[in-house]
């Protein structure tokens, strides 16, 4: 039945659309899948469809359920609908999955043992509750941290599983095999205090809709249309909730889902690309409209991205094309560099040239596969005075794990550094709380010594007992051995041993949170960085100077972020560093997920390229250093999958690396899907490695200036710089001067 329109339709609101967009908006009845490629105007289509339904009297405002993934997207949709209608409408069922479920649950809380005034707990309260339920089971919280157990619970909730529905096949060995019992205890405790966590908002509503036919029928009558944004990012419980609400007993479901299977990149947080791939099976007779006209990027960028993503098998298929005829643009640049530091130098130099030409820094982004890759760029930008911001994260030296590791470093070189020792004395947990730390300070003051010396005194006199004594004795012994090792084998090896034997690295290995692997990568990058300096003292001084010279707040800044954080954003110029096997695609992802993960990594590459409007630059390095050792790298297989006529290659590469590249068209986890050709050889290459520079050679370093080689150790040079003093530098970082 058609409702009377809420106002007179604007005569031209459909005229500004292309034919595919218009088809997606005017197909109001029955299931509809709108496959919206990057930059094809999906938000415009979704909001115009919402307004179109209201303007044509097909539903009243409260009869449309519109689901988004973020509050920002919900606000934007609300504002755009109001602009199209010429008025603001209250009472809309428009919001995120969890916000809409919270609104529903307030109405039906009694069905799951809650009252309408239930509390939604924050993370701190959830962890406090988890610790309480773990106590009776005597769980070793060092091996099985509460954060990890909470993550197990959330994964079960994301799959729509109550404690009773977790089968042995879906169980885990976390918490010594007690996870299912702890989950049940946790849920009971939440009910007892009339509370739920974030995951319960959807879990409880799914359970109510499954078990209360009258409630489900109520929402079937209420919602005449369902609109879903970013459908490719839905997880299992979101999919089940939507399907229950959409499948009314009478008539075809009026559900319209907008998404892009080529941009499904969040499997690590539960997203299932299969949800969008099986839409036509879930809703027989569904209509599929493909939005392929891209109004963001040039034709060359679109050709590169489309050619790359075509190598994925699990996709519904579409090919992006420019929305206008004059958008050909320049080819995607692929630049081969020596190492990550040169990668940062080349990108920074290009940015400086663009800035001189009037290019806004705010329209430049550096998109990386992992957070640890930001460090060389940050240091280079600070040296040059280029303002930047790390989007969605902290600057490298501000990250908690880096501050912790550097506190260990400070105590190693200066045992009297009480502030640093305070930071790490109980990290990882050694049973030293506030009261214990106060006693240690009292002991140290009593003998007129620093805190670390006070700990040694307490150990010698027997003032420490039990687990505290054992843990602190292990810590102080690790520092002693590290100082001896530093003299024999150097500071990189000593720091690696200290972080290992102190238990700090193991703490992050045991952490089951999604952030833990990235934190370990950041620590590896820190250990790599200290290898560029002759001493730990020199490195600490460098960091102090770098952090003191951070740029002032500015709206015109270069954006540094991960590829995951860049989805939904766009920039005139995008730099994509680290396109090497093992870095991108991530070796960890390939090891964990095989071909399925490879396809998601390829989708991530597609997302990165399509963030660029005018210019995309891919960089890959010949070598990267892991700890103190250099390892040869080969270009990412994704570079070989981009059409030849869409890229322009340049840069410096080693002859031996070209030969290695040509041999590696097949990888350990299988051949490149869709192609059997080897990687292309790189142009403009250096034929061979330069001979080692002899003692007495005059050299130039971009950061330290002019100097003279005093000693040669393989590819490491001991150089006396005129202004910076003596330093040990890798040979390829300097240039010989006459």
């Amino acid at each position: 039945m058609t409702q009377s329109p809420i106002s007179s339709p604007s005569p031209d609101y459909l005229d500004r659309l292309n034919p595919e967009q218009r088809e997606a908006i005017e197909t109001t009845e029955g299931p509809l899948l709108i496959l919206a490629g990057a930059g094809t105007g999906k938000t415009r289509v979704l909001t115009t469809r919402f307004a179109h339904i209201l303007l044509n009297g097909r539903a009243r405002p409260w009869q449309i359920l519109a689901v988004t993934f973020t509050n920002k997207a919900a606000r934007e949709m609300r504002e755009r609908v109001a602009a199209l209608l010429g008025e603001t409408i209250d009472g809309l069922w428009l919001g995120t999955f969890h916000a809409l479920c919270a609104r529903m649950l307030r109405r039906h809380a009694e069905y799951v043992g809650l009252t309408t005034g239930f509390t939604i707990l924050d993370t701190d309260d959830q962890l406090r509750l988890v610790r309480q339920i773990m106590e009776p089971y005597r769980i070793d919280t060092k091996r099985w941290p509460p954060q990890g157990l909470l993550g197990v619970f959330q994964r079960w909730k994301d799959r729509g599983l109550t404690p009773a529905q977790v089968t042995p096949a879906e169980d885990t060995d976390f918490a010594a095999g007690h996870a299912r019992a702890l989950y049940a205890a946790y849920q009971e405790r939440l009910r007892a205090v009339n509370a739920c966590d974030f995951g319960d908002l959807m879990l409880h509503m799914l359970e109510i809709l499954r078990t209360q036919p009258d409630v489900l029928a109520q929402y079937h009558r209420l919602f005449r249309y369902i609109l879903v944004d970013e459908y490719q990012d839905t997880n299992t419980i979101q999919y089940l909730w939507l399907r229950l609400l959409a499948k009314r007993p009478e008539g075809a479901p009026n559900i319209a889902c907008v998404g892009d299977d080529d941009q499904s990149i969040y499997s690590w947080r539960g997203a299932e690309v299969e949800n969008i791939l099986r839409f036509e099976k879930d809703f027989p007779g569904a209509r599929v409209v493909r939005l392929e006209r891209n109004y963001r990027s040039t034709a060359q960028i679109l050709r590169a991205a489309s050619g790359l993503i075509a190598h994925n098998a699990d996709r519904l298929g579409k090919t992006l094309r420019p929305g206008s005829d004059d958008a050909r643009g320049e080819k995607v640049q692929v630049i081969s560099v020596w190492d990550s530091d040169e990668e940062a130098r080349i990108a920074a130099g290009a940015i400086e040239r663009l800035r001189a030409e009037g290019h806004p820094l705010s329209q430049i982004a550096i998109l990386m596969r992992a957070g640890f890759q930001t460090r060389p760029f940050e240091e280079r930008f600070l040296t040059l005075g280029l303002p930047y911001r790390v989007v969605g994260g902290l600057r490298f030296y501000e990250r908690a794990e880096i501050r912790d590791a550097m506190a260990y470093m400070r105590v190693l070189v200066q045992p009297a550094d009480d502030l640093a020792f305070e930071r790490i004395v109980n990290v990882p947990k050694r049973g030293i709380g506030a009261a214990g730390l106060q006693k240690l300070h009292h002991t140290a003051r009593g003998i007129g010594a620093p805190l670390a010396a006070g700990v040694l005194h307490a150990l010698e006199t027997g003032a420490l007992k039990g687990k505290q004594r054992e843990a602190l004795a292990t810590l102080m012994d690790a520092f002693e051995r590290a100082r001896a090792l530093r003299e024999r084998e150097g500071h990189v090896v000593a720091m690696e041993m200290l972080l290992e034997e102190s238990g700090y690295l193991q703490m992050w290995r045991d952490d089951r949170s999604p952030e833990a692997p990235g934190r370990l990568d950041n620590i590896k990058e820190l250990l790599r960085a200290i290898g560029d300096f002759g001493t730990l003292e020199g490195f600490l001084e460098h960091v102090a100077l770098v952090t003191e010279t951070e740029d002032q707040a500015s709206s015109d800044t270069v954006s540094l972020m991960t590829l995951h954080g860049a989805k939904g954003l766009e920039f005139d110029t995008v730099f994509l560093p680290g396109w090497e096997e093992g870095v991108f695609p991530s070796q960890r992802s390939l090891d964990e997920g095989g071909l399925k993960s490879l396809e998601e990594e390829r989708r991530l590459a597609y997302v990165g390229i399509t963030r660029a409007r005018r210019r995309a630059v891919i960089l890959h390095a010949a070598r990267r250093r892991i700890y103190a050792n250099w390892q040869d790298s080969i270009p990412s297989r994704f570079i070989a999958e981009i059409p030849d006529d869409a890229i322009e290659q340049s840069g410096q590469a080693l002859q031996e690396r070209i030969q290695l590249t040509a041999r590696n068209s097949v990888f350990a986890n299988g051949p490149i899907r869709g192609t059997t050709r080897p990687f292309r050889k790189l142009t403009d290459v250096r034929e061979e490695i330069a001979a080692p520079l002899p003692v007495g050679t005059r050299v130039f370093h971009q950061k330290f200036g002019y100097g003279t080689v005093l000693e040669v150790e393989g590819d490491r040079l001991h150089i006396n710089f005129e202004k910076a003093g003596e330093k040990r530098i890798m040979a390829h970082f300097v240039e010989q001067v006459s």
Side-chain angles (χ1 to χ4, degrees):
M1 185 177 77
T2 302
Q3 310 279 345
S4 57
I6 63 170
S7 61
S8 299
S10 172
D12 63 348
Y13 75 100
L14 293 176
D15 295 343
R16 297 186 295 271
L17 305 168
N18 67 42
E20 297 83 13
Q21 291 174 332
R22 186 159 182 161
E23 180 186 0
I25 290 164
E26 294 184 312
T27 304
T28 58
E29 304 308 304
L32 173 67
L33 177 61
I34 305 169
L35 281 179
T40 57
K42 75 172 181 65
T43 304
R44 182 180 188 183
V45 167
L46 196 62
T47 53
T48 306
R49 179 182 172 85
F50 193 120
H52 180 75
I53 291 170
L54 296 180
L55 287 169
N56 287 274
R58 295 190 172 275
R60 304 305 295 170
W62 55 86
Q63 293 177 316
I64 301 175
L65 177 68
V67 190
T68 66
F69 264 83
T70 66
N71 290 315
K72 178 183 177 183
R75 285 193 302 271
E76 183 179 357
M77 186 183 294
R78 193 181 301 273
E79 290 167 359
R80 289 197 184 195
V81 169
L84 282 169
L85 298 176
E87 60 180 299
T88 301
I89 301 175
D90 297 324
L92 295 178
W93 283 86
L94 192 167
T96 64
F97 282 96
H98 290 90
L100 292 168
C101 282
R103 183 175 169 185
M104 290 179 174
L105 191 56
R106 296 288 179 193
R107 297 181 172 191
H108 312 290
E110 69 277 4
Y111 288 115
V112 287
L114 301 172
T115 70
T116 189
F118 64 82
T119 302
I120 302 172
L121 300 186
D122 61 20
T123 303
D124 288 342
D125 288 334
Q126 293 170 41
L127 288 172
R128 190 177 303 114
L129 190 56
V130 169
R131 292 189 187 99
Q132 290 174 8
I133 65 167
M134 291 176 78
E135 284 180 7
Y137 288 83
R138 300 184 181 278
I139 303 294
D140 181 357
T141 55
K142 290 183 179 179
R143 184 178 182 187
W144 312 110
Q147 298 97 317
L149 184 59
L150 196 60
V152 171
F153 296 166
Q154 188 57 56
R155 284 192 290 276
W156 281 333
K157 292 180 181 185
D158 285 345
R159 288 156 58 195
L161 300 174
T162 64
Q165 294 167 328
V166 178
T167 66
E170 292 155 332
D171 201 358
T172 172
D173 62 356
F174 197 93
H178 295 300
R180 272 198 300 168
L182 289 165
Y183 183 27
Y186 176 72
Q187 292 300 98
E188 283 301 314
R189 181 62 178 153
L190 282 171
R191 284 189 177 88
V193 297
N194 195 37
C196 54
D197 64 19
F198 205 58
D200 284 328
L201 297 174
M202 291 212 71
L203 183 68
H204 287 329
M205 269 317 303
L206 180 66
E207 191 67 13
I208 291 169
L209 295 177
R210 279 171 165 171
T211 60
Q212 304 298 324
D214 291 345
V215 175
L216 180 58
Q218 174 186 333
Y219 286 110
H220 282 161
R221 290 190 299 270
L222 177 62
F223 300 131
R224 295 177 60 85
Y225 292 90
I226 298 177
L227 307 179
V228 187
D229 192 13
E230 303 285 9
Y231 191 61
Q232 79 281 347
D233 291 334
T234 53
N235 61 24
T236 300
I237 193 170
Q238 292 162 348
Y239 164 79
L240 294 172
W241 180 78
L242 283 168
R243 197 171 64 168
L244 275 171
L245 291 172
K247 291 200 169 184
R248 298 180 297 174
E250 75 287 340
N254 289 331
I255 180 170
C257 294
V258 181
D260 184 1
D261 52 325
D262 292 335
Q263 295 189 74
S264 180
I265 58 173
Y266 296 119
S267 66
W268 51 274
R269 66 184 190 197
E272 298 275 357
V273 69
E274 290 81 6
N275 293 345
I276 193 170
L277 296 177
R278 64 170 172 246
F279 185 87
E280 292 174 274
K281 183 178 179 180
D282 286 334
F283 301 102
R287 191 165 180 173
V288 179
V289 176
R290 287 173 168 80
L291 305 183
E292 298 175 310
R293 301 193 196 192
N294 176 287
Y295 296 96
R296 174 193 300 161
S297 306
T298 64
Q300 297 283 25
I301 290 171
L302 297 179
R303 175 160 174 72
S306 295
L308 171 62
I309 200 62
H311 289 80
N312 272 4
D314 291 333
R315 62 190 296 260
L316 296 170
K318 62 185 174 304
T319 302
L320 295 179
R321 59 184 187 276
S324 61
D325 296 331
D326 59 348
R328 182 163 181 77
E330 60 187 68
K331 293 183 177 182
V332 173
Q333 296 180 53
V334 178
I335 302 176
S336 173
V337 300
W338 292 104
D339 53 43
S340 58
D341 290 326
E342 187 187 13
E343 187 175 58
R345 287 197 298 272
I346 285 178
I351 291 170
E352 283 196 305
R353 289 191 295 274
L354 289 170
R355 187 187 197 184
E357 295 168 4
H359 192 307
L361 295 182
S362 60
Q363 285 301 318
I364 300 175
I366 299 179
L367 309 181
M368 288 153 285
R369 176 61 183 86
F372 75 88
Q373 293 174 259
T374 67
R375 189 199 63 81
F377 290 95
E378 290 188 57
E379 294 208 357
R380 188 62 185 167
F381 289 174
L382 289 168
T383 300
L384 297 175
L386 273 174
Y388 73 93
R389 63 186 182 125
V390 179
V391 180
L394 297 170
R395 294 172 184 258
F396 185 81
Y397 292 114
E398 293 173 351
R399 295 167 185 169
E401 65 276 13
I402 299 303
R403 288 185 178 275
D404 288 343
M406 290 185 61
Y408 274 98
M409 196 183 304
R410 287 163 55 189
V411 175
L412 181 63
V413 302
Q414 180 49 267
D417 190 334
D418 282 2
L419 289 176
F421 192 81
E422 274 186 25
R423 182 180 180 97
I424 55 90
V425 71
N426 203 41
V427 181
K429 300 290 185 185
R430 299 186 178 94
I432 311 297
L437 185 59
Q438 188 174 3
K439 288 181 182 179
L440 292 175
H441 271 297
H442 180 75
T443 300
R445 286 195 297 270
I447 61 172
L451 186 57
V455 171
L456 289 173
H457 181 75
L459 290 170
E460 291 169 359
T461 59
L464 290 168
K465 306 291 184 183
K467 291 185 177 180
Q468 279 190 350
R469 176 181 178 81
E470 181 182 343
L472 286 177
T474 299
L475 174 65
M476 301 312 292
D477 189 46
F479 273 113
E480 183 178 350
R481 288 199 302 277
R483 291 186 182 104
L485 191 63
R486 183 186 177 198
E487 295 298 322
R488 297 196 310 271
E489 300 189 36
H491 56 285
V492 178
V493 176
M495 269 305 300
E496 182 183 354
M497 185 279 287
L498 176 60
L499 294 177
E500 191 67 70
E501 295 199 7
S502 66
Y504 188 74
L505 292 178
Q506 192 61 44
M507 177 187 78
W508 289 118
R509 292 191 194 107
D510 292 340
D511 191 313
R512 301 300 178 93
S513 68
E515 297 82 14
R519 293 183 188 276
L520 283 168
D521 285 340
N522 290 338
I523 295 168
K524 291 178 184 177
E525 176 63 19
L526 178 70
L527 292 171
R528 192 207 76 75
I530 66 176
D532 290 339
F533 293 79
T535 64
L536 289 178
E537 290 87 348
F539 176 74
L540 289 169
E541 180 180 337
H542 161 75
V543 173
L545 293 173
V546 160
T547 52
E548 279 297 315
T549 57
E550 287 180 355
D551 55 271
Q552 300 296 316
S554 168
S555 59
D556 193 29
T557 59
V558 179
S559 296
L560 275 65
M561 68 186 84
T562 64
L563 286 160
H564 284 100
K567 187 168 177 287
L569 303 178
E570 55 187 74
F571 304 87
D572 284 345
T573 299
V574 168
F575 291 87
L576 300 160
W579 280 45
E580 302 125 36
E581 286 297 312
V583 178
F584 192 36
S586 160
Q587 191 60 50
R588 183 187 296 117
S589 293
L590 298 186
D591 291 342
E592 292 176 356
L595 185 58
K596 184 176 180 180
S597 290
L598 173 60
E599 293 213 341
E600 180 159 329
E601 292 285 299
R602 191 176 284 113
R603 292 195 292 269
L604 198 55
Y606 169 84
V607 166
I609 294 173
T610 55
R611 297 313 92 195
R613 295 193 194 100
R614 296 167 48 198
R615 186 180 297 104
V617 182
I618 295 170
L619 301 107
H620 60 97
R623 296 195 298 173
R624 287 199 183 262
R625 191 161 63 199
I626 307 299
Y627 296 141
N629 301 316
W630 286 96
Q631 294 184 3
D632 287 332
S633 301
I634 57 175
S636 169
R637 67 190 74 189
F638 298 153
I639 296 175
E641 295 172 353
I642 300 174
D644 289 329
D645 58 0
I647 64 173
E648 179 180 325
Q649 301 192 69
S650 63
Q652 297 175 326
L654 307 180
Q655 177 67 23
E656 60 192 62
R657 178 158 150 268
I658 291 179
Q659 296 168 355
L660 178 65
T661 296
R663 293 196 302 267
N664 280 275
S665 61
V666 177
F667 293 83
N669 64 330
I672 301 172
R673 179 180 291 276
T675 180
T676 57
R677 64 187 172 92
F679 288 109
R680 295 178 298 278
K681 294 184 179 181
L682 303 172
T683 58
D684 188 23
V685 298
R686 187 171 294 176
E687 292 295 326
E688 56 188 26
I689 305 175
L693 298 174
V695 173
T697 302
R698 185 166 169 75
V699 295
F700 176 77
H701 186 278
Q702 288 199 15
K703 184 173 184 178
F704 302 123
Y706 291 97
T708 303
V709 176
L710 301 179
E711 185 180 354
V712 180
E713 301 173 359
D715 60 351
R716 183 185 288 272
L717 306 177
H718 184 188
I719 302 172
N720 181 26
F721 290 101
E722 294 174 359
K723 295 184 178 179
E726 294 186 14
K727 296 187 181 297
R728 295 186 183 276
I729 302 290
M730 302 304 296
H732 62 273
F733 282 129
V734 299
E735 300 173 12
Q736 182 175 355
V737 295
S738 56

